[in-house]
Amino acid sequence: MNQAAHVSILFYAQNALFSEFNAGVSNMPVILWTDVMIYVLLATVLTAALWIRKRPYLVLPWQRVAKDSVGMVSLLLLSLFVLVGLLDTMHYRAALPEKSNGQTVYSAEVLSVFDALATGIKSRTEKTYSAPLAAYLYAKESMETSEGKILRDYPRLRYGGAHLVDPQRELLGDVLKRTGIGALEGLLIGVLLIVVSNMLFHFFVRFRTVWSSTGREEISKDNRLPTFTRAVKNKPFKALLITALLIAMLLGITVNLAAVYHVLGTDKVGQDVLYLALKSIRTGLVIGTVTTLVMLPFALLLGIAAGYFRGWVDDVIQYIYTVLSSIPSVLLIAAAVLMMQVYIEMHPDWFETSAARADLRLLFLCLILGVTSWTGLCRLLRGETLKLRELEYIQAAQAFGVSSSRILTRHIVPNVMHIVLIAVVMDFSSLVLAEAVLSYVGVGVDPSTMSFGTLINSARLEMGREPMVWWTLAAAFGFMLVLVLAANLFADAVRDAFDPRLNRT
Amino acid sequence: MKSDPSFNQLRPLTSAPPEIGRGEFILNVERLVTRLNNGARIVDDISFSIKQGETFALLGESGCGKSMTALSLMRLLPDGIRVASGDIKLDEEDILALPEYAMRKVRGGQMAMIFQEPGLSLNPVMTVGDQIAEVLILHQQLRGKEVHPRCVELLEQVGISDASRRASEYPFQLSGGMKQRVMIAMAMAGHPKLLIADEPTTALDVTIQAQVLKLLRDTQQKTGMALLLITHDLGVVAQMAHQVGVMYAGQIIEQASREQLFARPAHPYTQKLFAALPDAERSGQPLAAIPGNVPPLGAPLAACRFAPRCDKAWALCHEQVPEWAQLENGHGVRCHLYTSQMGSEKLNLKASLSHAPPTPGGEGVGTEGRGTSLLQVENLQVHFPIRKGILQRTVGYVKAVDGVSINIPEGRTLALVGESGCGKTTVGKALLQLITPTAGSVRFAGHELIGINAGQLRKHRAGMQMIFQDPYASLNPKMRVAEILQEGMDALSIAKNSDERQRRIDELLEQVGLEKTSKWRYPHEFSGGQRQRIAIARVLAVNPNLLICDEPTSALDVSVQAQILNLLKSLQQQLGLSYLFISHNLAVVEYLAHEVYVMYLGRIVERGTVKEVLHAPKHPYTQALLSAVPRIDGQGMKTVRLPGEMPSPSHPPQGCHFHTRCAQVMAKCREVYPTETLVSTTHRVHCYLAAE
């Protein structure tokens, strides 16, 4: 259901964006390789959700997830991250106002919907470092005063706190005032949204009742429309509501402050760190999910084939993954990425924009991470299949002469899906961390791609500086912590829901 | 061997378990209630006492709360379950009032327990000696050099030969029977006053079971300890118990001395349990199966728990919980029949009606196989290579099946019996080509099945199908019943279109006694017996002629077993099916089968009709197997104790495979495998004794 919500939001955003430019000329949509992957993934998740909805035994564990407060709260956080990631996935090239020979000329820079929404913080770049919510630069400079004297002091920022007359006196009051207003606005919008969605939900339920005759009978029989007050009594929903309001307040505060300040400071070239951190989310998500997409077919097919067929098939697959997992993966990745880099640089004409080049490198990183990380899940699935193939229902199917491919798809795969699901969600967080480590080592994403790894990498020098620049690292740390923690807690909830030992009752 | 004609048949008690000086009550349990945290009563108001040197048997089907009673006594209940009220006094000491540290002295020191699965109750990374030493150091305060000799002594006491060497071995080097002996040695090491044995022989073969039961009896006689025996097997109760408590849904519903219980069971449930046991006397008629299943935990307690399954129940039974009624000397029962006016009237009525003599003998049993032969197996061999070294060279073969010939006529039941590991299941799977046979010929309805390719084999798949032992593992938990039943039809293209298939599924469900609506449900919503019905419906879907039943009832309770046996029998009559019935349960075989083949170490040692093999066995192994079966009349045949265990099929002994365990072994037995001797036209034996 979450995905569906996202899609509708995407449409809104896209419509809003294009209508804004409709006055002039239309922009050229750009679909990068990783965008394709993300759309494929999104489609897969949606089909899977629809497929699961029709099967009660598959819906059951998800209903258990929905009853877990921690799981639902982390899902809400995760979906916010996913929303930012998806907005950042819809790329386009802006049309330039001037035309050459009647042909529209597009800017060389590939932007995303997210960039358009965050134009404010994207464009307000300072000269260099500035602390969070500061009105002055972080380093002293020589300035000429109106009297013509040279003064060495902290200069005012170009944008941060520029509206203040005397920042030293007014800054604290202004920040507090904006925080308060922001929190209130956020709260109001949050409550409004909840009320509206509640009304929409009711409308939807009535609509369904009117249109389906059977549903009408059912509802008229017990007359129990799920009302809002009833839903609040349910514990996970309450937790979800509180979290949603808190997040709305936080967003309100951030939006209010970010209009005139750099909430998380600026980096060496004066870019807003909040913007960098938000842009990093997409990279993290791509690494976490596209890698899984690459790795899953290897792990699933090879794992169950090795376990089911035994014999030489098993031997070959075992040799492959033993060899692969005995090569240090960082070495393998470094070698592959460096080769790729050289190759890309030899063919600059292949890429229209620098974004396309950086994107290909990101995709390639996903591929190579996927190729090196399927061994663990494959081994797990092989073991489980070895156990399953001896079970009597498999033998009963063999006695009916059911073909091997049918046994694999009908009997083995559904019975190992819980392992796949848990492994995939667990792997997500470790892959996000792996990207950070690789970028820190220097074999990760393109330096122009913003990622948690590049943020951390730049923090290496900043931490050694006197006075220390701490906010880049803190921002990367905070965002990654929330993302990975939410993913892990959600994975825990999923695992518990699928664990038959915990669900005896 | 011409003593009694059948198993499991009630007759006056003659022999009894050893009578020894029985003294004071060692264990007193008063109104014990054990609950789940949500309030469901697992053990509900149980009272009993055990005297010194006495064996008290708790008898009941699975899920009745027998094991939970034992764990309550040891205070070892799992999380979420606790003793809610009641008194447990061991030798005047209040067990429930003891602090945990004192309880540790009691466990192992005063009260010891042995479990069902000997393979799981020993630590695999400690030597057997060390594990026994642990008990000695804790409870006997033995130190240093005293420990080892005592370990060896204990192992010798439980009949383990070469005890000093065995003490330094690990559990995986011991067989199942030996592990259970070690468990008993460990339990005895602390000189307990009470030994709790939770299904001590359920996981063992009959011959090993007989050894272990004898050991328990002997040990009890020597030490005078009290024994609380938990079992579902009436035969074991008959051999071991002095007092019996019958449990049903958390309550003791009947308590009596063994003699009283077996002579005159009072509660309708106990009566039904006896009636549900299969034997030859009833082979012509359906068994008295108890309909339905044991109620789940936490079922409403408003009435008699057995009322929904009881054919004597009337209105009162569904309204009121029956009181405990004392009959004569110590025989107690919880049933309205004995407490209310109405009940005693019903009781008198029943007495005049029952005791009609059972129609003797089953039709057809013992007659020669008629009709045409459906399955002919000649010299079937299944050898598994043993590979060693880096290059995986074959260094030998496990001869799981070594030259088996079987002939199954149409519409008949042939039983294959033997201890576990003798290769009976492998024969079944090799016939279906689930395991590729090494050599031999399998002709099914005139077509040779060995050596043909998968496509040709598929044509004959429908004719021969298998019913498996474990109904919990034989149905895919992710498929609905309709999909399970449809699988075979799809694979073998049985029905033309989906309408026809759905009709066939409805038909099949009705045939095996399930509701039509159950086809949209998942297997986990069914009980063990219902699952086995689904498994039977699944194979019937492809219209087979021959069903290979691999211990189809061994995972089921006695009352449910009777339902399934009745179903199999009626299906045979309706559809003219043939069965290859693989089993270790001789009573079931006697009830269902026409012919019996006895298998030992991959070979058939004796074959013939049921009457010939089970009532006049010629091979010493068959004789030993028969005498090892505990009988509910407590009367053994001439006891032929079988020492030791079956040798490994990778190194079968020279000559007759059985000579290592045979009491009547002769010199030539050790040299050449005996050839087949014809006792009668149908009865054949591989033994020199019969040849003489």
Side-chain angles (χ1 to χ4, degrees):
Chain A
M1 290 319 279
N2 264 309
Q3 266 73 19
H6 291 159
V7 171
S8 62
I9 289 168
L10 288 185
F11 279 123
Y12 274 117
Q14 209 148 20
N15 286 343
L17 180 79
F18 289 122
S19 59
E20 190 183 317
F21 289 89
N22 265 350
V25 275
S26 58
N27 298 305
M28 178 171 71
V30 175
I31 293 177
L32 302 174
W33 276 107
T34 50
D35 299 348
V36 175
M37 292 300 212
I38 287 176
Y39 292 139
V40 168
L41 205 68
L42 200 66
T44 320
V45 170
L46 282 176
T47 10
L50 286 177
W51 192 76
I52 285 170
R53 262 184 69 129
K54 287 191 189 138
R55 283 157 182 79
Y57 67 90
L58 291 173
V59 175
L60 200 70
W62 290 107
Q63 282 171 343
R64 280 197 287 263
V65 176
K67 285 189 191 119
D68 184 18
S69 326
V70 179
M72 286 317 281
V73 168
S74 33
L75 182 63
L76 178 68
L77 283 172
L78 266 184
S79 37
L80 279 182
F81 279 98
V82 171
L83 177 66
V84 172
L86 284 177
L87 286 177
D88 204 8
T89 295
M90 294 184 299
H91 288 109
Y92 68 93
R93 281 166 71 181
L96 295 175
E98 64 269 22
K99 293 185 178 182
S100 64
N101 308 332
Q103 292 260 317
T104 319
V105 181
Y106 297 100
S107 123
E109 192 187 11
V110 175
L111 291 173
S112 70
V113 176
F114 173 75
D115 289 326
L117 292 174
T119 321
I121 50 173
K122 179 174 184 286
S123 56
R124 289 199 298 270
T125 51
E126 303 292 343
K127 206 167 181 187
T128 179
Y129 292 120
S130 73
L133 300 176
Y136 297 97
L137 267 187
Y138 200 55
K140 279 186 178 172
E141 270 182 15
S142 305
M143 292 177 294
E144 201 176 332
T145 56
S146 46
E147 291 100 66
K149 278 201 282 183
I150 301 292
L151 189 73
R152 195 164 167 76
D153 200 359
Y154 298 105
R156 284 291 296 271
L157 290 177
R158 221 177 296 160
Y159 300 102
H163 63 295
L164 301 174
V165 181
D166 181 6
Q168 271 170 344
R169 217 160 34 80
E170 297 169 23
L171 181 72
L172 187 66
D174 188 57
V175 167
L176 286 178
K177 195 181 89 192
R178 281 172 185 278
T179 310
I181 292 172
L184 214 61
E185 277 176 16
L187 195 65
L188 280 177
I189 293 173
V191 169
L192 197 71
L193 274 179
I194 286 166
V195 169
V196 167
S197 60
N198 184 38
M199 277 161 63
L200 277 176
F201 179 71
H202 267 254
F203 176 74
F204 181 66
V205 169
R206 290 232 179 83
F207 185 74
R208 284 249 306 231
T209 329
V210 169
W211 279 92
S212 72
S213 55
T214 49
R216 183 176 210 159
E217 279 157 29
E218 263 168 44
I219 291 193
S220 59
K221 222 177 279 169
D222 56 4
N223 197 24
R224 270 169 55 126
L225 274 172
T227 63
F228 187 69
T229 38
R230 257 192 218 120
V232 172
K233 280 181 193 136
N234 146 3
K235 195 175 146 227
F237 190 77
K238 212 155 138 191
L240 208 59
L241 212 63
I242 293 171
T243 323
L245 288 178
L246 282 177
I247 291 175
M249 281 165 75
L250 195 67
L251 284 179
I253 295 170
T254 316
V255 168
N256 251 290
L257 286 174
V260 286
Y261 295 106
H262 299 291
V263 180
L264 291 174
T266 53
D267 74 345
K268 193 174 180 182
V269 293
Q271 278 179 299
D272 192 300
V273 174
L274 178 64
Y275 173 72
L276 294 181
L278 287 173
K279 287 286 275 184
S280 303
I281 290 172
R282 176 177 183 268
T283 319
L285 290 176
V286 167
I287 298 264
T289 52
V290 175
T291 307
T292 310
L293 200 67
V294 174
M295 163 262 260
L296 212 54
F298 283 106
L300 194 60
L301 287 179
L302 295 181
I304 63 174
Y308 183 72
F309 292 110
R310 310 280 301 276
W312 66 267
V313 181
D314 190 20
D315 285 349
V316 169
I317 293 171
Q318 273 197 74
Y319 275 119
I320 293 174
Y321 75 57
T322 312
V323 168
L324 208 59
S325 57
S326 54
I327 302 171
S329 58
V330 174
L331 267 184
L332 202 65
I333 294 167
V337 167
L338 292 175
M339 269 160 58
M340 177 71 180
Q341 209 173 329
V342 172
Y343 198 68
I344 287 174
E345 268 156 29
M346 280 163 69
H347 303 276
D349 49 313
W350 285 5
F351 307 101
E352 282 184 43
T353 56
S354 65
R357 204 179 61 200
D359 182 76
L360 194 69
R361 183 160 162 182
L362 177 63
L363 180 70
F364 197 72
L365 187 69
C366 290
L367 287 181
I368 189 77
L369 269 175
V371 169
T372 51
S373 67
W374 57 269
T375 51
L377 180 59
C378 180
R379 194 174 306 196
L380 215 61
L381 291 179
R382 174 181 170 267
E384 185 68 15
T385 312
L386 279 178
K387 198 179 88 192
L388 286 177
R389 79 187 291 275
E390 297 301 328
L391 282 185
E392 290 170 346
Y393 60 82
I394 307 277
Q395 292 181 8
Q398 286 168 343
F400 282 129
V402 178
S403 65
S404 294
S405 61
R406 209 171 153 75
I407 288 179
L408 286 180
T409 50
R410 292 263 289 177
H411 292 283
I412 307 265
V413 171
N415 283 297
V416 298
M417 265 339 257
H418 64 287
I419 295 183
V420 172
L421 188 87
I422 293 158
V424 162
V425 188
M426 297 298 253
D427 274 359
F428 171 79
S429 46
S430 65
L431 285 168
V432 174
L433 294 175
E435 184 274 330
V437 170
L438 288 175
S439 295
Y440 177 75
V441 175
V443 294
V445 294
D446 191 88
S448 69
T449 312
M450 284 150 236
S451 79
F452 292 123
T454 47
L455 280 183
I456 292 170
N457 193 18
S458 63
R460 185 170 48 163
L461 296 172
E462 293 162 359
M463 294 297 281
R465 211 173 159 279
E466 184 60 40
M468 188 170 74
V469 172
W470 49 268
W471 48 87
T472 325
L473 188 69
F477 175 84
F479 272 80
M480 252 169 85
L481 180 77
V482 175
L483 176 61
V484 173
L485 190 66
N488 267 333
L489 288 177
F490 183 62
D492 269 358
V494 172
R495 192 194 53 203
D496 287 352
F498 277 81
D499 190 344
R501 278 172 303 173
L502 295 174
N503 300 309
R504 277 284 151 78
T505 55
Chain B
M1 305 306 285
K2 32 181 153 359
S3 52
D4 55 50
S6 82
F7 302 96
N8 294 342
Q9 193 196 352
L10 279 177
R11 44 184 53 225
L13 293 151
T14 46
S15 79
E19 291 289 326
I20 39 175
R22 282 190 249 158
E24 285 306 296
F25 286 114
I26 287 275
L27 177 79
N28 277 298
V29 179
E30 280 292 330
R31 308 196 66 108
L32 177 73
V33 177
T34 301
R35 287 168 181 268
L36 274 175
N37 275 347
N38 66 14
R41 290 168 168 224
I42 295 179
V43 175
D44 192 7
D45 197 5
I46 276 189
S47 309
F48 62 91
S49 338
I50 309 181
K51 286 182 191 148
Q52 195 184 355
E54 190 181 61
T55 301
F56 185 91
L58 270 183
L59 174 76
E61 296 180 274
S62 55
C64 283
K66 308 182 299 268
S67 293
M68 283 302 151
T69 309
L71 292 175
S72 305
L73 297 184
M74 294 288 275
R75 280 181 47 191
L76 284 174
L77 288 167
D79 287 344
I81 302 176
R82 63 198 162 76
V83 174
S85 64
D87 256 335
I88 301 172
K89 284 209 168 65
L90 182 69
D91 222 8
E92 300 306 311
E93 198 169 15
D94 190 353
I95 294 289
L96 294 176
L98 285 178
E100 192 55 33
Y101 68 87
M103 200 55 215
R104 281 172 51 204
K105 284 256 172 289
V106 174
R107 291 185 201 124
Q110 313 245 353
M111 228 195 289
M113 188 157 176
I114 53 178
F115 298 90
Q116 175 171 357
E117 194 58 73
L120 299 177
S121 29
L122 290 171
N123 184 343
V125 294
M126 271 171 87
T127 62
V128 165
D130 285 350
Q131 296 188 48
I132 298 174
E134 221 172 37
V135 183
L136 291 172
I137 292 166
L138 264 174
H139 293 292
Q140 299 292 302
Q141 276 77 43
L142 293 186
R143 290 288 173 273
K145 280 185 187 150
E146 300 164 284
V147 178
H148 186 71
R150 179 81 186 113
C151 276
V152 176
E153 202 180 306
L154 277 165
L155 285 176
E156 273 164 359
Q157 273 177 18
V158 295
I160 287 182
S161 55
D162 201 2
S164 57
R165 183 171 62 85
R166 290 292 186 190
S168 59
E169 286 191 345
Y170 289 90
F172 75 90
Q173 291 165 295
L174 308 179
S175 65
M178 278 215 278
K179 280 184 215 162
Q180 200 59 295
R181 283 169 190 272
V182 170
M183 277 307 291
I184 294 172
M186 262 169 88
M188 297 319 298
H191 288 304
K193 291 175 191 151
L194 170 70
L195 178 66
I196 302 173
D198 187 355
E199 306 261 9
T201 56
T202 308
L204 305 174
D205 273 312
V206 252
T207 55
I208 311 297
Q209 164 171 298
Q211 293 171 8
V212 170
L213 291 181
K214 182 169 187 305
L215 173 66
L216 279 174
R217 274 200 304 268
D218 293 350
T219 321
Q220 187 181 35
Q221 215 156 16
K222 262 184 253 164
T223 59
M225 67 179 177
L227 178 63
L228 174 62
L229 180 74
I230 292 172
T231 183
H232 68 278
D233 189 337
L234 280 167
V236 171
V237 172
Q239 277 202 345
M240 299 289 293
H242 301 102
Q243 291 286 324
V244 187
V246 183
M247 274 190 93
Y248 187 79
Q251 286 183 323
I252 291 190
I253 52 158
E254 182 167 6
Q255 189 175 338
S257 72
R258 183 189 62 116
E259 292 83 356
Q260 287 167 334
L261 187 83
F262 281 73
R264 225 162 338 112
H267 198 282
Y269 173 65
T270 322
Q271 293 166 358
K272 287 273 196 179
L273 269 189
F274 281 108
L277 286 176
D279 72 45
E281 295 282 308
R282 306 199 187 110
S283 67
Q285 47 195 307
L287 291 170
I290 314 180
N293 297 291
V294 179
L297 292 174
L301 312 169
C304 171
R305 279 146 209 225
F306 187 59
R309 301 174 73 187
C310 183
D311 55 1
K312 297 193 183 73
W314 72 99
L316 183 65
C317 299
H318 294 284
E319 287 157 11
Q320 206 179 330
V321 180
E323 289 300 310
W324 185 254
Q326 278 295 336
L327 307 179
E328 74 273 10
N329 41 8
H331 193 164
V333 64
R334 194 184 280 277
C335 181
H336 283 309
L337 282 175
Y338 301 91
T339 51
S340 71
Q341 182 61 38
M342 173 93 173
S344 49
E345 282 166 19
K346 273 182 105 88
L347 210 59
N348 292 333
L349 192 70
K350 187 207 77 183
S352 60
L353 282 178
S354 65
H355 298 302
T359 44
E363 52 80 40
V365 173
T367 45
E368 166 61 319
R370 50 174 179 190
T372 47
S373 160
L374 182 66
L375 181 80
Q376 277 174 303
V377 182
E378 290 294 334
N379 193 29
L380 183 76
Q381 292 181 4
V382 182
H383 295 179
F384 298 112
I386 307 169
R387 295 179 198 278
K388 266 192 180 153
I390 301 170
L391 295 175
Q392 300 282 301
R393 279 187 309 122
T394 304
V395 293
Y397 289 98
V398 176
K399 296 181 177 174
V401 179
D402 193 16
V404 165
S405 302
I406 295 176
N407 188 1
I408 307 180
E410 262 174 41
R412 310 285 280 174
T413 304
L414 188 142
L416 199 56
V417 299
E419 290 173 271
S420 60
C422 73
K424 18 184 228 306
T425 301
T426 314
V427 169
K429 291 186 176 164
L431 292 183
L432 278 174
Q433 313 294 314
L434 291 177
I435 299 172
T436 317
T438 314
S441 133
V442 176
R443 290 183 72 78
F444 179 71
H447 300 279
E448 177 64 50
L449 297 186
I450 290 183
I452 62 176
N453 64 35
Q456 290 170 309
L457 187 61
R458 192 164 294 172
K459 284 181 209 149
H460 305 295
R461 283 277 190 210
M464 188 162 36
Q465 282 299 324
M466 189 154 183
I467 298 170
F468 294 91
Q469 175 174 6
D470 184 359
Y472 291 88
S474 63
L475 304 175
N476 186 343
K478 301 289 167 76
M479 278 162 83
R480 286 184 295 201
V481 172
E483 293 168 313
I484 290 171
L485 298 188
Q486 211 173 320
E487 181 168 47
M489 291 195 261
D490 283 348
L492 300 171
S493 344
I494 299 289
K496 280 179 216 82
N497 51 41
S498 79
D499 280 354
E500 201 172 318
R501 273 181 205 149
Q502 293 306 321
R503 233 191 350 265
R504 179 102 181 94
I505 288 169
D506 291 345
E507 225 174 87
L508 286 165
L509 286 173
E510 201 170 332
Q511 207 162 24
V512 298
L514 290 172
E515 284 176 35
K516 273 183 198 171
T517 49
S518 53
K519 70 175 173 178
W520 303 118
R521 288 156 68 192
Y522 288 92
H524 70 86
E525 298 170 56
F526 296 91
S527 68
Q530 287 172 321
R531 282 161 179 246
Q532 202 60 293
R533 286 171 192 269
I534 297 170
I536 292 171
R538 170 174 64 187
V539 297
L540 290 180
V542 297
N543 305 318
N545 306 107
L546 171 66
L547 288 188
I548 297 172
C549 308
D550 186 4
E551 310 238 14
T553 59
S554 69
L556 305 175
D557 283 315
V558 180
S559 66
V560 181
Q561 164 177 297
Q563 296 171 10
I564 298 295
L565 291 179
N566 283 343
L567 176 64
L568 287 174
K569 200 138 196 168
S570 75
L571 286 174
Q572 182 165 47
Q573 279 158 9
Q574 285 167 29
L575 307 172
L577 295 175
S578 304
Y579 294 131
L580 174 62
F581 199 85
I582 298 169
S583 182
H584 67 274
N585 188 336
L586 292 172
V588 172
V589 166
E590 193 178 32
Y591 170 73
L592 204 65
H594 301 103
E595 277 178 77
V596 182
Y597 284 49
V598 182
M599 212 171 158
Y600 186 76
L601 220 57
R603 292 189 184 175
I604 304 285
V605 293
E606 183 164 5
R607 52 175 281 201
T609 61
V610 167
K611 225 171 221 156
E612 287 163 344
V613 176
L614 296 186
H615 298 160
K618 289 285 180 273
H619 198 284
Y621 176 64
T622 319
Q623 292 167 3
L625 208 58
L626 286 170
S627 80
V629 179
R631 283 137 189 282
I632 61 166
D633 53 15
Q635 185 181 41
M637 296 167 111
K638 185 177 72 190
T639 28
V640 187
R641 290 274 166 237
L642 206 50
E645 313 204 350
M646 193 153 59
S648 154
S650 57
H651 296 288
Q654 185 81 36
C656 173
H657 287 172
F658 187 60
H659 83 251
T660 51
R661 298 168 81 188
C662 186
Q664 295 150 288
V665 61
M666 296 174 289
K668 59 180 171 183
C669 295
R670 298 198 170 88
E671 284 151 19
V672 189
Y673 194 83
T675 51
E676 194 170 68
T677 309
L678 259 77
V679 181
S680 73
T681 47
T682 51
H683 192 180
R684 292 150 200 243
V685 185
H686 284 274
C687 184
Y688 289 118
L689 286 172
E692 277 162 7

